[in-house]
Amino acid sequence: MADELGARAPKYHRVADALRREIKNGDLPPGHRLPAETTLVERFRVSLPTIRQALGVLRAEGLIESRHGIGTFVKEQRRLQRRSRGRYGNARNHQKLLTHHLRHEILFAGRGQVPAHIAEVMGVEPGTEVVIRRRHLFNKETNQPEEIGASYFPVEMADGTFLAEPEVAPKALFLCVEELTGRKYSQAQDQWIARMPTAEESAALDLPTGAPVLHVIHCARDENGDVLEVSESVWPADRVVLIDEYPIDQEPDDSAAPSEI
């Protein structure tokens, strides 16, 4: 079995590498059905458990998918583009929801206790009551789940308003909040976390075994530094590409520590 990993690599990694290269160079194009496991056993001269381990690696990488009762196929490598900086400006220009290819479903809206990881960002005690909007987003064409998440608002700002109602906002949520409060979103911070999903997230996003997720926690503040909203989103890592466009500073920043560069 010729490969680029060397003879010391585990057999299943060497099988996965060979199939991965065939997918990347187009020998196994998107939508192509992979040979049966027994055929792969004969081709690579390895055991059936080894083949299944190799396919598990490719499945976790998002390169293949198994369809129950049909077989295993090469996945389309279309990824949703997610933008961090610039999305507020785009939304202000369009004054409408930009995720037109996604269907929003509001699972819950109302008062609830803030989880500890969000409380830390908001600067409140865990268990503090806030207004929560939990959502799922689905691809309109395939009905595939693409995102799960939630937004958290201070009670004194959002309780008794449409934010506590389980209706999809008619435009970008931050525009609705600005109209409601008369305050502008002026500062934002994103925390990006790559991790394995919880059992609930894996089921909700229809993830294969071993597939990771991207978890972003976004905190938006007004001109005075007060929190207007903290939101979190969880995305299948193999279905998104992150785009971050920003101006490059032309002068040195004396406040930046070496670890921040």
Side-chain angles (χ1 to χ4, degrees):
M1 182 170 53
D3 56 66
E4 297 177 356
L5 295 180
R8 293 186 179 181
K11 289 182 180 179
Y12 75 93
H13 272 308
R14 291 154 60 191
V15 172
D17 184 60
L19 293 174
R20 185 187 299 109
R21 282 186 277 113
E22 292 181 13
I23 292 172
K24 296 292 188 182
N25 65 26
D27 291 338
L28 295 174
H32 183 84
R33 181 177 177 176
L34 267 63
E37 291 179 346
T38 52
T39 302
L40 294 174
V41 165
E42 294 177 3
R43 172 187 167 184
F44 291 104
R45 298 181 181 180
V46 295
S47 67
L48 182 58
T50 296
I51 291 297
R52 289 177 175 169
Q53 279 185 293
L55 295 180
V57 169
L58 299 179
R59 195 175 293 113
E61 293 176 359
L63 294 176
I64 63 174
E65 61 182 348
S66 296
R67 301 174 189 172
H68 184 67
I70 302 177
T72 302
F73 296 81
V74 178
K75 286 184 67 174
E76 295 278 352
Q77 292 302 302
R78 292 180 298 177
R79 294 177 179 242
L80 294 177
Q81 293 188 356
R82 303 286 190 172
R83 295 181 180 272
S84 50
R85 305 174 196 235
R87 68 179 181 274
Y88 284 112
N90 290 338
R92 292 190 195 282
N93 289 336
H94 290 84
Q95 293 287 306
K96 63 181 180 181
L97 283 173
L98 296 179
T99 51
H100 53 82
H101 56 288
L102 297 176
R103 174 174 62 84
H104 291 61
E105 185 177 304
I106 305 300
L107 302 182
F108 171 82
R111 294 177 70 141
Q113 293 187 344
V114 64
H117 67 288
I118 299 297
E120 182 179 0
V121 176
M122 294 187 79
V124 299
E125 291 295 320
T128 299
E129 275 212 326
V130 295
V131 170
I132 305 172
R133 290 175 62 86
R134 300 193 184 280
R135 64 187 178 275
H136 282 189
L137 274 65
F138 300 83
N139 186 301
K140 285 184 177 179
E141 293 182 2
T142 66
N143 208 39
Q144 182 181 44
E146 299 288 0
E147 175 185 325
I148 58 177
S151 292
Y152 306 86
F153 306 92
V155 164
E156 62 273 15
M157 182 187 83
D159 193 32
T161 72
F162 71 90
L163 295 174
E165 300 295 328
E167 303 295 334
V168 176
K171 52 188 174 183
L173 191 60
F174 85 92
L175 292 173
C176 298
V177 173
E178 288 185 341
E179 290 181 2
L180 178 68
T181 63
R183 296 152 67 185
K184 288 287 188 180
Y185 280 53
S186 297
Q187 307 169 45
Q189 181 186 68
D190 290 339
Q191 298 180 23
W192 297 94
I193 306 163
R195 60 172 174 80
M196 299 306 295
T198 64
E200 293 78 9
E201 291 167 346
S202 184
L205 292 169
D206 193 21
L207 299 176
T209 302
V213 294
L214 286 178
H215 182 183
V216 59
I217 301 174
H218 176 79
C219 180
R221 300 175 182 272
D222 66 10
E223 301 95 325
N224 298 319
D226 296 326
V227 173
L228 290 176
E229 174 190 1
V230 174
S231 66
E232 62 178 337
S233 299
V234 178
W235 303 322
D238 66 325
R239 300 184 210 159
V240 298
V241 57
L242 305 176
I243 299 174
D244 191 11
E245 297 178 355
Y246 50 90
I248 297 175
D249 292 335
Q250 300 302 308
E251 298 294 333
D253 183 0
D254 296 333
S255 65
S259 61
E260 297 176 327
I261 298 176

